Amino acid sequence: MGKIGSLLDKLSRPKGDRLIWLIVFVLLSVSIIEVFSASSRQTFGKASYLNPIMAHMVHVSFGVVAIYLCHIMKRFGYRALSMLLILGSLAGLAFLCVKGMHSDKAERWIDLGFFQLQPSEFAKLAVVLIVSQMLSKLERADRLSQIRTFGKIMALTAVVCLMIVMENLSTAILIFFVVVALMIFGGIYWKYMTYLTVSLAAFCLLAIFLFKSVPPQTIRDCRLLPARTVTWQARVLDFFDQDEQYSAAEYARKVAPDKTQETHARIAVATSAIFGKLPGNSDQRDYLQEANSDFIFAIIIEEMGMAGALVIMAAYVLLFLRVGRIVVRCKNRGQLTDAYMAAGIGLLLVTQAFLNMSVAVGLGPVTGQPLPLVSKGGSSMLMSGIAVGILLGISSSVEDEEQHVQSVQEDLDGNETETIDC
């Protein structure tokens, strides 16, 4: 009984960086409060106004369970998990591609009845984990190893991004950005990275030029382009063509009807104060589409003010700093995979968070990226939980190895002292 009690005590005790645990608690608490407040649009005409928040609480519970289970895994468990995620997400994306071809429209979710699965959310994390493992085997001074590793990473990333881009361009861009940053951090030759960066920059400039010069009707009539190309064009043009000034009346008449999300998000931000209107008092939640997911940060600002917004931003910045601390503490060759995984996960979560927040305040085009650990969405919450759980697991492993090295060093010092005394 004593051994069983000791084992249960170890399993029930949270491991890893305590500050990351605190950040998770703060973000999940804000999520429960603000999603409940922002879900009022979904309760119109429904029998119970508690249904949306009860569903969100179930998703939060999934995320918390994922954090706990992943943070007690070991390195072998993360390798197995990464293979499960990449195979599952590729199968899900392939299913959506086939379904989209038969229905002539892009699909993002697989309806499982009790859960709407979004494979692209898990593909983000899967690619980061697989690329981290590839980079850990890289021999930096070996040209052949460089070519093979770069080729494998680019092939995997290209396949995943091509399967995602039809239904979610922003997710494909996010994955590509994180992979490029990981390759730079992992020591891929600067020559390869320069070629890749120049090629990407040229492609982006060409796409922007075509979007600005080709009429939307021409793009719409072109069968070789995805159906969402017109949507991408509209968002790019909206972002770059903001030079024209409107009075309030002209904006309401000419612009607002076509940009309802951006308009109500800006009203939510503009009508907030230092401490906001307090939770439950948002005016724009009833008019803002996706108020509890893509534009949750606008509702947070409206209800919690600039003070609340700064707290959320500081939480993600602090999370990134703690991830940096974990990476620095991964000192030996055996911890190289851990370092790359931690860096990739931290970059993925924080970049996605600031993409979401920039959209809410009008600093970026609409992307559809959820706010990690805050926005409503089962797939997003589960993916974020797995990612944070892996971070905590890596942190715990680093702490255990540091304690082991310290105890060995103390034993050696003690033996040396005994020898001198003798």
Side-chain angles (χ1 to χ4, degrees):
M1 290 296 292
K3 292 182 178 179
I4 296 176
S6 176
L7 177 62
L8 290 175
D9 181 61
K10 289 181 180 180
L11 290 175
S12 62
R13 189 183 308 155
K15 303 176 182 179
D17 193 308
R18 294 184 178 180
L19 197 50
I20 293 180
W21 278 107
L22 178 60
I23 292 169
V24 170
F25 174 77
V26 170
L27 292 177
L28 289 180
S29 299
V30 171
S31 174
I32 293 170
I33 294 170
E34 290 303 318
V35 168
F36 181 44
S37 177
S39 298
S40 61
R41 183 186 180 97
Q42 297 182 355
T43 63
F44 291 156
K46 301 293 180 66
S48 174
Y49 64 89
L50 292 176
N51 286 341
I53 190 58
M54 293 303 294
H56 182 60
M57 290 293 291
V58 172
H59 296 160
V60 170
S61 300
F62 286 162
V64 172
V65 170
I67 292 173
Y68 177 78
L69 292 178
C70 290
H71 102 287
I72 60 177
M73 283 185 182
K74 300 300 181 182
R75 290 190 181 96
F76 177 78
Y78 297 145
R79 294 190 183 98
L81 179 62
S82 64
M83 291 305 299
L84 179 63
L85 286 174
I86 193 65
L87 293 175
S89 58
L90 286 175
L93 290 170
F95 173 79
L96 289 178
C97 289
V98 173
K99 185 179 178 182
M101 285 189 290
H102 287 292
S103 62
D104 293 329
K105 65 177 182 179
E107 299 282 349
R108 293 191 181 188
W109 297 273
I110 300 175
D111 192 354
L112 302 178
F114 65 94
F115 189 81
Q116 284 194 323
L117 182 68
Q118 190 171 0
S120 59
E121 283 293 319
F122 300 99
K124 299 176 190 175
L125 181 59
V127 170
V128 168
L129 297 179
I130 297 294
V131 169
S132 299
Q133 294 169 33
M134 291 179 180
L135 287 172
S136 67
K137 300 175 183 177
L138 172 69
E139 297 294 337
R140 298 193 181 193
D142 185 358
R143 183 172 178 272
L144 184 59
S145 177
Q146 287 274 347
I147 294 174
R148 286 177 176 174
T149 303
F150 181 76
K152 289 178 181 178
I153 291 173
M154 291 307 302
L156 172 66
T157 307
V159 169
V160 173
C161 288
L162 286 174
M163 296 178 75
I164 291 175
V165 71
M166 297 299 181
E167 50 96 8
N168 199 334
L169 175 63
S170 62
T171 297
I173 293 174
L174 176 61
I175 292 173
F176 215 100
F177 169 77
V178 174
V179 168
V180 170
L182 265 181
M183 286 195 291
I184 294 173
F185 177 65
I188 295 293
Y189 281 163
W190 66 268
K191 181 171 64 176
Y192 302 149
M193 301 311 301
T194 301
Y195 291 155
L196 180 61
T197 303
V198 171
S199 301
L200 288 175
F203 177 79
C204 292
L205 290 174
L206 178 62
I208 292 172
F209 172 76
L210 292 176
F211 281 159
K212 292 176 71 69
S213 58
V214 178
Q217 187 60 43
T218 303
I219 292 179
R220 188 179 291 108
D221 293 338
C222 182
R223 295 184 178 181
L224 297 177
L225 296 175
R228 287 183 58 82
T229 306
V230 177
T231 303
W232 302 337
Q233 181 188 33
R235 290 179 176 178
V236 170
L237 293 179
D238 285 343
F239 180 69
F240 285 100
D241 296 340
Q242 297 183 6
D243 297 332
E244 190 172 357
Q245 299 296 320
Y246 296 97
S247 65
E250 289 176 332
Y251 185 90
R253 187 175 66 256
K254 296 180 180 180
V255 181
D258 296 325
K259 301 173 66 175
T260 56
Q261 286 182 308
E262 298 95 320
T263 299
H264 288 293
R266 292 179 182 181
I267 293 173
V269 173
T271 56
S272 67
I274 296 178
F275 298 106
K277 301 174 181 177
L278 300 182
N281 295 316
S282 170
D283 295 321
Q284 299 306 310
R285 60 185 176 179
D286 295 332
Y287 308 100
L288 182 58
Q289 294 180 350
E290 307 299 337
N292 53 19
S293 55
D294 298 351
F295 285 88
I296 188 68
F297 191 62
I299 304 301
I300 290 173
I301 295 176
E302 185 182 14
E303 295 192 343
M304 295 187 173
M306 296 308 299
L310 290 175
V311 169
I312 299 299
M313 294 172 64
Y316 288 111
V317 172
L318 188 56
L319 174 63
F320 193 68
L321 293 177
R322 299 305 290 184
V323 169
R325 183 171 180 267
I326 294 171
V327 172
V328 170
R329 293 168 69 185
C330 295
K331 299 176 181 178
N332 58 54
R333 180 73 180 180
Q335 295 175 319
L336 202 55
T337 305
D338 293 347
Y340 291 141
M341 283 197 297
I345 290 172
L347 190 61
L348 175 66
L349 293 177
V350 175
T351 302
Q352 181 176 320
F354 279 91
L355 276 175
N356 176 282
M357 291 186 284
S358 66
V359 170
V361 298
L363 294 179
V366 178
T367 61
Q369 290 298 318
L371 191 59
L373 295 171
V374 178
S375 291
K376 183 182 179 182
S379 296
S380 173
M381 189 62 69
L382 187 55
M383 185 281 290
S384 300
I386 295 172
V388 172
I390 293 174
L391 280 179
L392 290 167
I394 293 172
S395 173
S396 175
S397 298
V398 170
E399 291 174 0
D400 291 343
E401 293 190 19
E402 286 178 346
Q403 291 175 1
H404 175 70
V405 171
Q406 184 178 357
S407 63
V408 170
Q409 185 63 43
E410 289 176 353
D411 291 341
L412 290 175
D413 293 342
N415 291 335
E416 289 178 1
T417 303
E418 291 177 2
T419 303
I420 292 174
D421 291 341
C422 292

